[in-house]
Structures are given as C-alpha cells and as structure tokens.
Amino acid sequence: MIRSVLVANRGEIALRVFRTCRELGIATVAVHSDADARARHVREADAAVRLPGDAPADTYLRGDLIVAAARAAGADAVHPGYGFLSEDPEFARAVRAAGLVWVGPPSGAMKAMASKTRAKRIAAEAGVPVLAPFQGDAVRAADLPVLVKAAAGGGGRGMRVVRELALLDGALEMARAESAAAFGDGEVFVEPYVEGGRHVEVQVLADAHGTVWTLGTRDCSLQRRHQKVIEEAPAPALPVGLADALCAHAAALAKSVGYVGAGTVEFLLDGRGRAWFLEMNTRLQVEHPVTECVYGVDLVALQLRIAEGGRLAERPPEPVGHAVEARLYAEDPARDWRPWTGTVHALEVPEGDGLRVDPGVGAGDAVGPHYDALLAKVVAHAPDRPSALHRLARALERARVHGPVTNRDLLVGSLRHPEFAAGTADTGFYGRHLAELVAARSGFEKYAALAAALADAQGRSRFGGWRNVPSGPQVKRFRARPGGEEHEVRYRIGRDGLEGVPGVRLLEAARERVALEIDGVRRPFEIAFHGTSADVDSPLGSWSFTLLPRLPEPAPRTEPGSLLAPMPGTVVRIADGLAPGDRVEAGQVLLWVEAMKMEHRVTAPDSGTLTALHAAPGRRVATGDLLAVVVPPVTVPPAVVPHEPAVVPHEEAAP
C-alpha cells in the first residue's frame, strides 16, 4: 500500500493529486522552486522540499533532485502530474531504481511513445491510421500547407504552420531551436496540415493484468497557439460509428506497447470525418476532469490503485451526461494572448450543482513569469450538452476573479458562440472569431464605472449624503482594464439623490456594494478596491478598472524606436546574425522572450536600422526593459525652389 506520495509538479495538478490522496488517507509531499516557496500547492502539502532556483531546468526538470526529495521526505511513491518530467522514461527508471513506486506507465511504453515519429510507426503497425510525415526535402508546393512539429514534448512547443514553400526552411530552424530549448531534443518532422481539423482524443486506462479501458472521447478543438482552451466529453457531432472506431484504435495501440496506467491517444479529424493518429500522451491529461464527471470515476485514485498492483473491473462504468471544461488563464487574448503577472486578490467560482473547480492558485498568491499562467479549471456536468454549456458559461460569468487580466470573458463568449454551440468548431475557431469575441463589450460598463465612483466616494468622504450648500459635480476617471475605454464619471448627490446621470437612481451606496435603478430596473454591483484598481462584479458581468489621477503624472520619456519588453520573462533567442547596424524590415522578428511556457516574438515596429541591441539569450527582463532600438530612416523633404509670383497683366474694364 502506498502511504506517502510526492508529486513531482506544481500548481493545479499538484493540488488535484493531493485532493485524492487526502480522501484515500495518503500523506502528500510537495516540491517547489524558490519562486513557488509560498505557492498554494506548498501550503496544502503535508511536507515540502525546496528545489533551489527558479528556472524549470534547475528545479522541476531535475529528476535527481526530485528523487532525493522523495527519499528525504519519506515518500514511497512519485506521481509526475503532467508536463515537466511526466513523460520522461529516464525519470521513471530513476524513481524505480531508488526503490520508489512510479505512478505511471512502464518506461518502455513511455519511450516507445516519446518520439512522435516513432509513435506513428508503431501506430501504423497496430493498424491505426496515421498522417505519414514527409521524407527529407520531399515537400512540394502542392503539399502546402504543412505542419512542422517537434518529435518530442508537447503543449504546442516547436510547432509551425507553413503556407509558403519559401518559409519552410526558416520554420524548421525555429522549430528545432524551440524544441531543443524546451525538451532538450531538436528533432522535428513535417506532416500534412489539415485545415479545419478537429482534435479528438480517447482516454485509456490499463492495469498490469491485461485489462484495458477506453473511457470515451473528448473534443479539444478550441485551441490557441496549439494549446487547449476548452475541452468536453463526449466529443460532439461525430459521424456514426467513429467514436467506437477511435476507442478500438486507442485500445489496440495501448496493448501493442504493453501500456499500464492512464494515457491519452489523440486523433485529428478532417471535414469529411476521417481520423488520423496524432500522438499518445503517456500521462494524465489536463482535461481529465470531463471524463471523470461523465464516467463517475477518480482517475488519480485509479492510477494509485494500478501502481499498487490492483486490478480494474472487467468493464468501465457507463457514461452519463455531458461535461465541459474551461481553462481560466491569466492572459489577455486581445493582445496576442499575452500572459499577465501579478497578485490574485480574489478567485471565487461557484461550485456544486454540477460545477467543479480545480484551482491552481488562491487569493493572495502571485502569478509570476516562470510557469504556466493557469489559474483554475472550471468544469460543468449536466444531463445534456446545451445544459452543460449554459451552466459553465453562467458560472464563469458569476465568478469573482480579481488581480491579473484573464481570459474569462473570452471563455464565456466562446461557450455561447453559435458555431461552438452547434458542436462543429475546429482548431481554426479562434483564427476566425477571436476579433469579434474580444471586441464584444457590455453596454453596462459605464454603469459599473459609476458604481465604482460612488463606492470610492464612500471610503473618502466624511459627509455620507447630500449637502444643502450647492457644490460642483464629483468627477472621477477610470480606465477599463486591460487597455480599454476611459470613463469620466460626473455626478452630484443632491436633495433628490443622484443627479447628473439621466435614467439612473441611487438606491444604495457603501464601500463594497452599490445598487442602482437603471431605466426602472434594480441592478446590484459589488466593488472591491486593490490599490489603484477597482473590480466590479454584477449579474450583468464583471469589470476591472484602473483609477486615474485627476492630474496625470508625466510619463517617462522613451527614445523613438525603442523596443521594450512586453512582459517579464527570459530572452531565449536572437534572430540569426542580427547585430547593431543591420537594416531590418517592419514586422521582422528580432528576438524571442519566453514567459509562462510560451514564446513571444518581439518584432521591428518599422523598417529602419537596428542601432542598439540590449538583449542576449538567457537574460531575464522585466516589463518595460529596453531590448533594442530601431531607428527609421531620416526622410529629407524635397527642396523648396523659390519662385517669383506670376504677374498677370491687368486689363482695364471697358468704359
């Protein structure tokens, strides 16, 4: 029997494993980097061991340190979670060599599936349809578009879609560099890119006694940068018989490599309903909760039972209903999915009645630049798909999420979008609809700003009501975050209540709550202030504002052409051969900054000359740090040639 489990991970997945361990009476051990010393997963573990440093390469990717931590803390098993070392067969071997129980598949099965190119060969031999990679330089213009893909790892790293043959070599080079930096393996391959494809996967669970379960399908087609955003089970709108065929393929592949434990077999569907094997993830998936809800199982508990040598039942439970999961990230979809750092002041999402929340952080926790920006996963389970979508959208809408900018509004809009509601959304969904989803703004934002102004006045004024002495209007300025509209709120509290705001009556005003009657309808607003920020929550929606000073302070001057770091992170690459004095073109990528497991390109804003380069691979940068300077060419206006005014002879009028 397993008595104590070390989770070789952090954040949401560590907390998820701890929850099951507590229910089973198993002690828990956390590991943490210096950046995570006060993280929620550290606070909730029974014991924690420090991994010195901040970077993943020095901490969560150091298998030797993690094995030593397990032995020091008295753990007798290691659960890898997902990401980091979860699919590293050498780490699995090291855990077993240390006399510890590995809560995962055999290292041989992991190695067989670790390389996507090798996995495709094994899948083909097992009778699973695959998209055959191109051989060498065999890509022709007629083959476009193609996908350049890292053979190792996952999470969208080392992937590039190529639509022009001339760009293929550059995409290969960039993918190799990104894959080598992320996974220590620069192998990449090229395969056909399926336009309008859907990402459908099958949950596999197998014991060491020959029983293999397939727990239905999941659809994970809503993605940004090849990383999943919304997932659901079962996959909707599949052709008749396809779900059974995919489950059969997944079981055949698992059996062919002697798989034991939890794993996921991923497929790509085209518009004609044809499916091809993509890869097998030899670990628990981020989206596993939707399968747990539909099948009524605890996959982590089953992983632990299998690791102890236990048996699965002959058949899995029957599925019930539909489940949808949304990943709540600290990021700004309107600005190229820019990750957001800062303190989480509140994270409260409704639970119960078919709602489940798997948190990664709590109130007071900081979201830093080192790791994934996932705040929580929110899951809804209902008897049917429309009910599950409605339940999840409403829960997200009513959540209190204060602090970093999040993708919450995008998630709500996605769940209610007609294409997604129809069950036909594919991996190009955000490419087609992102602009409209981020542009949608509530018409009630101006009333939320008014509520914030009235609440702010309650905390600042010594006079709680109207005054008999005439006075000028109260004026407050707010800017919606992130980078939204500026609102100037003007009002006066007179004998008859709120004045200066047509169609609005003030019913209640306190520092944390304001009620307004808007066009005859009572609307409550809850307000929370955090420094210069005001978060407003209401049944109408949620808004975050920055309180602007009456007299703006002068902004620091920046030299023309300066490229500043858009976020805190690490410079990972400089464009090949780039040096001061080079001519660059508008939009040309100059360097890459990595933050929260994603690479962000820094491009030249204009054509011109690179006069300074203040970045180097490995340099840590803060938001606003100077990275480079691009000076546009000086345009000399054409010389003005002086000329005499034309003299027009004057003709006298006839008498």
Side-chain angles (χ1 to χ4, degrees):
M1 296 290 292
I2 293 174
R3 299 182 305 276
S4 176
V5 172
L6 179 143
V7 179
N9 220 292
R10 63 176 302 279
E12 174 270 326
I13 184 55
L15 291 165
R16 164 69 190 90
V17 176
F18 291 167
R19 185 170 70 242
T20 290
C21 287
R22 283 195 298 270
E23 293 171 356
L24 297 176
I26 297 174
T28 57
V29 179
V31 289
H32 67 87
S33 66
D34 290 337
D36 274 342
R38 296 177 177 83
R40 182 169 177 173
H41 78 278
V42 176
R43 300 196 303 269
E44 294 196 10
D46 295 317
V49 180
R50 174 186 175 231
L51 305 176
D54 292 331
D58 300 327
T59 55
Y60 298 108
L61 291 174
R62 285 285 302 273
D64 57 334
L65 296 183
I66 292 173
V67 170
R71 299 181 72 170
D76 49 20
V78 172
H79 191 298
Y82 50 71
F84 295 131
L85 294 171
S86 63
E87 295 182 272
D88 186 333
E90 297 304 321
F91 179 55
R93 272 194 283 268
V95 169
R96 288 196 173 101
L100 304 169
V101 175
W102 169 250
V103 187
S107 54
M110 296 173 69
K111 186 174 182 179
M113 295 290 105
S115 167
K116 296 179 179 66
T117 51
R118 184 167 56 248
K120 282 177 179 285
R121 291 194 296 269
I122 295 172
E125 292 169 359
V128 181
V130 300
L131 280 174
F134 292 100
Q135 297 298 317
D137 58 354
V139 180
R140 299 290 181 262
D143 300 320
L144 299 173
V146 296
L147 180 66
V148 176
K149 197 171 184 180
R157 308 294 293 273
M159 295 178 67
R160 299 287 190 281
V161 178
V162 179
R163 300 182 185 278
E164 299 179 32
L165 200 58
L167 302 178
L168 178 59
D169 288 344
L172 286 166
E173 183 178 345
M174 288 189 291
R176 288 190 188 102
E178 185 176 352
S179 179
F183 314 121
D185 185 342
E187 181 189 354
V188 299
F189 62 95
V190 183
E191 68 181 12
Y193 179 68
V194 178
E195 296 277 15
R198 288 178 59 189
H199 186 123
V200 176
E201 58 192 31
V202 175
Q203 176 69 59
V204 173
L205 195 68
D207 64 21
H209 308 283
T211 301
V212 177
W213 283 4
T214 55
L215 296 169
T217 60
R218 295 189 290 251
D219 189 302
C220 310
S221 298
L222 261 63
Q223 303 178 5
R224 49 92 162 113
R225 293 185 172 180
H226 306 292
Q227 296 185 27
K228 302 163 188 173
V229 178
I230 294 177
E231 304 102 343
E232 58 182 311
L238 293 182
V240 176
L242 182 58
D244 290 340
L246 296 182
C247 288
H249 288 320
L253 181 60
K255 291 176 181 177
S256 73
V257 295
Y259 200 81
V260 175
T264 298
V265 181
E266 302 191 347
F267 299 90
L268 184 66
L269 275 62
D270 69 5
R272 296 165 57 184
R274 297 177 299 177
W276 291 278
F277 169 76
L278 278 178
E279 60 184 322
M280 183 176 188
N281 294 132
T282 55
R283 53 174 168 79
L284 200 65
Q285 291 280 87
V286 181
E287 57 272 20
H288 75 273
V290 292
T291 298
E292 292 184 321
C293 290
V294 170
Y295 281 85
V297 298
D298 183 331
L299 289 173
V300 174
L302 291 171
Q303 282 185 298
L304 293 168
R305 181 194 301 174
I306 291 169
E308 291 175 331
R311 292 177 178 269
L312 295 173
E314 184 179 349
R315 289 186 177 84
E318 290 296 316
V320 176
H322 198 93
V324 188
E325 172 183 292
R327 304 189 190 186
L328 184 65
Y329 282 102
E331 66 182 12
D332 184 1
R335 288 161 180 78
D336 197 27
W337 310 96
R338 170 188 164 185
W340 210 271
T341 59
T343 300
V344 177
H345 299 295
L347 181 58
E348 301 169 12
V349 185
E351 292 189 72
D353 191 24
L355 292 171
R356 164 178 166 176
V357 179
D358 284 13
V361 298
D365 288 346
V367 179
H370 305 288
Y371 314 111
D372 190 88
L374 181 67
L375 301 179
K377 300 182 312 194
V378 186
V379 188
H381 182 219
D384 53 65
R385 185 172 186 267
S387 299
L389 296 184
H390 175 75
R391 183 171 288 174
L392 181 56
R394 190 60 177 153
L396 288 165
E397 202 170 42
R398 296 302 300 270
R400 295 181 71 241
V401 186
H402 301 167
V405 170
T406 74
N407 65 338
R408 186 253 300 274
D409 290 344
L410 176 86
L411 296 174
V412 174
S414 301
L415 291 165
R416 290 175 173 162
H417 194 280
E419 184 178 324
F420 184 71
T424 58
D426 56 46
T427 55
F429 178 82
Y430 287 125
R432 294 188 300 274
H433 302 299
L434 181 62
E436 67 186 78
L437 288 169
V438 299
R441 302 193 69 86
S442 169
F444 287 93
E445 184 173 275
K446 62 181 179 181
Y447 300 114
L450 172 61
L454 292 166
D456 186 49
Q458 295 301 308
R460 297 175 184 271
S461 174
R462 294 182 294 109
F463 305 99
W466 68 276
R467 288 183 290 166
N468 199 31
V469 180
S471 63
Q474 297 290 319
V475 180
K476 295 185 184 296
R477 295 168 56 242
F478 298 87
R479 184 181 298 281
R481 297 174 59 231
E485 181 180 352
E486 183 175 320
H487 297 271
E488 183 176 88
V489 179
R490 290 176 172 270
Y491 69 92
R492 180 187 289 110
I493 303 296
R495 183 185 298 272
D496 298 322
L498 184 66
E499 299 176 356
V501 187
V504 179
R505 281 204 314 133
L506 176 60
L507 303 179
E508 175 188 345
R511 179 66 174 170
E512 297 178 349
R513 182 177 176 84
V514 170
L516 302 175
E517 184 182 281
I518 303 171
D519 296 328
V521 180
R522 187 180 190 277
R523 305 288 191 182
F525 298 87
E526 294 185 357
I527 302 94
F529 294 94
H530 310 285
T532 60
S533 295
D535 290 284
V536 182
D537 296 297
S538 162
L540 301 168
S542 297
W543 300 267
S544 183
F545 300 100
T546 298
L547 284 70
L548 301 177
R550 292 183 60 188
L551 300 174
E553 296 182 4
R557 294 187 59 185
T558 302
E559 292 299 321
S562 296
L563 276 71
L564 308 181
M567 67 206 71
T570 303
V571 177
V572 290
R573 282 184 290 144
I574 307 292
D576 285 346
L578 188 68
D582 288 353
R583 166 78 183 184
V584 297
E585 302 298 327
Q588 178 180 337
V589 182
L590 306 182
L591 54 96
W592 289 259
V593 174
E594 183 182 79
M596 299 180 181
K597 292 175 61 178
M598 297 172 65
E599 284 195 357
H600 306 267
R601 299 179 302 173
V602 177
T603 60
D606 298 293
S607 298
T609 301
L610 180 72
T611 60
L613 184 61
H614 299 280
R619 179 193 166 191
R620 295 279 296 277
V621 296
T623 302
D625 281 359
L626 182 63
L627 300 176
V629 179
V630 176
V631 177
V634 178
T635 56
V636 180
V640 178
V641 180
H643 62 277
E644 296 293 333
V647 178
V648 179
H650 174 68
E651 295 183 359
E652 293 186 1

